[in-house]
Amino acid sequence: RLEESKKVILEEPSSSAKKIKINQGSNFRDQRVKISGWVHRLRSQKDLTFIVLRDGTGYLQVVLSGKLTTTYDALTLTTESTVEIQGQLKAVPEGKTAPGGHELVADYWKCLGKAPGGDEAYTNVVAETADPNSLADRRHLVIRGETASAVLKVRAEVLKAFRAEFDSIGVTEVTPPCMVQTQVEGGSTLFSFDYYGQPAYLTQSSQLYLETCLPSLGDVFCVQESFRAEKSHTRRHLSEYTHLEAELAFISFDDLLAHLEQLICGTLSRVLEDPRAKALLDQLNPNFQMPSRPFRRMDYKEAIQWLNDHDIPNEDGQPHKIGDDIAEAAERKMTDDLNVPIFLCGFPREIKSFYMKRTEGDEGFTDSVDVLMPGVGEIVGGSMRMADQHELLEAYKAEGIDAAPYFWYTDQRKYGTCEHGGYGLGVERFLAWLTNRWTVREASLYPRWTGRCTP
Ligand code: 4AD
């Protein structure tokens, strides 16, 4: 049969076919179209071949019949091969379902690139692989899968929605540099490199640059990669992550919290209002519920008390005491138990960064906030910033930071200071929460973590 099939040649019909993408299908019912894509699924019975075609915009059922199923390519077709199909888009008969409610009844097709079968077949190298390390090596193939690609699509929708939300409240996007010579979040997680003979780092946060934009652009945000040489090997730490940061001028701490609540809920509403994004979310996290407002506000000291009341020890196995950092495990337990978004406020200055504004009347603490979400824990870190120049100079000293390379940051307090604050939101953490993923690695296109910088 294979030998014979080599003699079967298909003639391309002369009637014209409109070249479209799968997601445009509903506008082309009962018309001749030409669609190219990858063979996502494949099933043959007698003289019918059913293909689920994938082109990145969606999935489409294709039916090959008669002579179309007798060519050499038809008999040797494999999943992940690329094909071009021409034919009529027909609504599926009542009682049957197919993506988009229609199928492409082919009158001509050709194979553009055959994928391997046998040991190297997609299903063997990806779908039936359980080892996380092998899957990480094959991330470039894994992202073709229905779940992995859905997460990446939600990611795109979420970034679009964040940008729309910022636009609607008058916050301007800027693009700060990735190569820097100053630290923001402590020296221990800096990636350093040689910059024309000078020491330089990959940015940990664009915050300081955003602060310099306030006098020229007003409130600003950025979506920029941040880099952390993390000592924490957890399911929520990456070495490179997408950092959504914003900085707002002439605000109070309460304004900052109100803004954060609006940004998160406004963005989520936009995602849920988009039918395609909503369908993806229903696929990934059918139990997702819009958080109710106002978010629960909890003081750091109250959290320490809560942890002790619930016998959750600190990292040394001891009861928590004021001044302790709240470790990931404890934070997760508390957030999962309370099961609502939390504004955790007022951290002690010793465990927070040098730039944070001290709480008036309680100088050992800061006007700072972490937003905690069930299932993930911290997704946002933010604070009010020190507005006073001398206080900032003292803070550099206390932290052992040389003030000289920060001259441009200090200048913000010299040339017209203002009360201001901002935050950074980890996009992969936000997505892990929204799409109910076990790890932030699933929310990154090509995740980097300790020891992994490929593919
Ligand atoms: O709390 P962080 O370190 O705060 C800052 O960098 C501030 N300078 C931001 C600002 O105020 N503009 O990081 C902010 C957020 C965290 O809440 C977390 O969501 C995310 O960035 N994040 C990470 N995400 C993935 N992997 C890591 N290693 C992360 N480190 C921080």
Side-chain angles (χ1 to χ4, degrees):
R1 209 172 152 218
L2 262 189
E3 273 315 305
E4 262 172 51
S5 71
K6 286 180 184 159
K7 294 182 212 136
V8 183
I9 308 287
L10 300 179
E11 288 283 334
E12 184 168 352
S14 54
S15 57
S16 71
K18 173 95 176 141
K19 186 175 160 192
I20 64 164
K21 296 282 187 191
I22 290 175
N23 67 350
Q24 299 171 304
S26 52
N27 302 327
F28 292 90
R29 286 267 175 97
D30 300 317
Q31 297 182 39
R32 266 199 98 239
V33 295
K34 183 199 300 191
I35 303 184
S36 300
W38 288 259
V39 176
H40 188 65
R41 274 200 290 268
L42 184 61
R43 185 165 58 86
S44 295
Q45 64 182 51
K46 292 198 201 121
D47 55 353
L48 287 179
T49 297
F50 294 96
I51 295 172
V52 174
L53 192 69
R54 182 187 82 233
D55 73 350
T57 74
Y59 300 92
L60 175 69
Q61 182 161 300
V62 178
V63 190
L64 308 181
S65 60
K67 194 178 174 191
L68 302 192
T69 65
T70 60
T71 62
Y72 181 77
D73 279 341
L75 295 179
T76 58
L77 193 61
T78 47
T79 53
E80 294 310 315
S81 296
T82 36
V83 292
E84 177 196 302
I85 319 254
Q86 297 186 21
Q88 294 269 342
L89 265 179
K90 293 281 182 199
V92 288
E94 215 156 304
K96 300 222 164 166
T97 56
H102 46 229
E103 60 188 8
L104 181 56
V105 180
D107 54 36
Y108 174 76
W109 78 284
K110 63 183 173 197
C111 182
L112 305 172
K114 184 91 48 81
D119 286 351
E120 279 193 302
Y122 181 83
T123 41
N124 284 329
V125 299
V126 175
E128 272 151 41
T129 306
D131 169 42
N133 216 28
S134 306
L135 284 174
D137 284 338
R138 293 167 197 164
R139 178 80 180 152
H140 57 294
L141 297 176
V142 169
I143 57 175
R144 297 180 179 205
E146 282 171 35
T147 304
S149 60
V151 175
L152 294 176
K153 282 180 189 168
V154 172
R155 184 185 160 105
E157 294 296 335
V158 160
L159 286 173
K160 201 165 71 183
F162 269 124
R163 286 194 161 98
E165 187 60 29
F166 275 124
D167 191 48
S168 77
I169 53 177
V171 184
T172 302
E173 181 166 5
V174 292
T175 310
C178 277
M179 298 189 282
V180 301
Q181 290 191 306
T182 44
Q183 56 154 296
V184 187
E185 298 299 328
S188 71
T189 59
L190 280 175
F191 276 111
S192 53
F193 66 99
D194 179 88
Y195 189 78
Y196 304 109
Q198 285 182 25
Y201 317 110
L202 295 176
T203 186
Q204 295 173 306
S205 159
S206 300
Q207 175 196 325
L208 309 191
Y209 292 102
L210 293 187
E211 289 184 56
T212 69
C213 296
L214 296 176
S216 53
L217 301 170
D219 299 343
V220 282
F221 78 97
C222 69
V223 183
Q224 177 65 286
E225 298 296 281
S226 276
F227 304 86
R228 307 276 171 109
E230 281 292 352
K231 310 283 182 288
S232 319
H233 312 290
T234 79
R235 59 186 161 109
R236 72 178 194 193
H237 284 92
L238 294 166
S239 304
E240 172 176 352
Y241 69 96
T242 304
H243 207 170
L244 183 119
E245 295 181 273
E247 207 61 34
L248 312 166
F250 304 107
I251 58 163
S252 66
F253 187 51
D254 283 338
D255 294 337
L256 178 64
L257 299 188
H259 163 92
L260 266 168
E261 204 178 277
Q262 175 56 38
L263 179 82
I264 291 171
C265 295
T267 298
L268 289 171
S269 299
R270 286 172 192 274
V271 172
L272 295 173
E273 278 159 20
D274 181 304
R276 220 168 285 153
K278 172 80 170 64
L280 291 165
L281 258 193
D282 287 344
Q283 174 193 342
L284 295 166
N285 188 6
N287 298 323
F288 178 75
Q289 278 188 337
M290 187 74 179
S292 56
R293 299 169 77 167
F295 289 2
R296 175 162 178 170
R297 191 167 162 170
M298 195 176 193
D299 191 69
Y300 163 85
K301 294 172 192 163
E302 196 188 331
I304 293 293
Q305 187 62 47
W306 191 98
L307 291 167
N308 288 337
D309 290 347
H310 291 77
D311 291 323
I312 299 171
N314 68 13
E315 284 197 295
D316 306 323
Q318 301 295 315
H320 278 91
K321 55 185 188 309
I322 299 293
D324 280 354
D325 209 347
I326 300 177
E328 177 170 341
E331 181 195 277
R332 251 180 210 284
K333 273 193 193 136
M334 183 174 81
T335 319
D336 289 352
D337 192 277
L338 297 172
N339 202 27
V340 286
I342 302 167
F343 280 143
L344 188 55
C345 302
F347 289 90
R349 52 191 272 193
E350 297 85 41
I351 62 169
K352 285 289 179 186
S353 303
F354 70 93
Y355 52 73
M356 288 192 183
K357 184 182 163 75
R358 314 268 189 256
T359 303
E360 235 176 87
D362 202 0
E363 305 281 314
F365 296 83
T366 54
D367 284 348
S368 52
V369 58
D370 280 0
V371 181
L372 314 181
M373 290 300 190
V376 184
E378 180 195 334
I379 62 157
V380 173
S383 76
M384 296 298 291
R385 324 302 191 189
M386 276 173 191
D388 182 77
Q389 186 183 347
H390 298 287
E391 203 186 340
L392 182 63
L393 291 173
E394 285 306 313
Y396 293 135
K397 235 186 260 169
E399 194 76 4
I401 294 174
D402 175 12
Y406 290 82
F407 69 95
W408 51 274
Y409 184 64
T410 315
D411 269 357
Q412 301 310 310
R413 282 77 185 164
K414 185 169 162 189
Y415 294 92
T417 192
C418 69
E419 289 297 333
H420 65 288
Y423 56 89
L425 176 148
V427 171
E428 291 80 7
R429 289 194 188 176
F430 183 84
L431 283 165
W433 166 70
L434 177 63
T435 62
N436 194 27
R437 297 297 98 192
W438 168 253
T439 157
V440 293
R441 292 175 190 177
E442 291 182 63
S444 169
L445 180 59
Y446 285 104
R448 268 78 179 99
W449 67 87
T450 321
R452 161 106 16 216
C453 202
T454 186

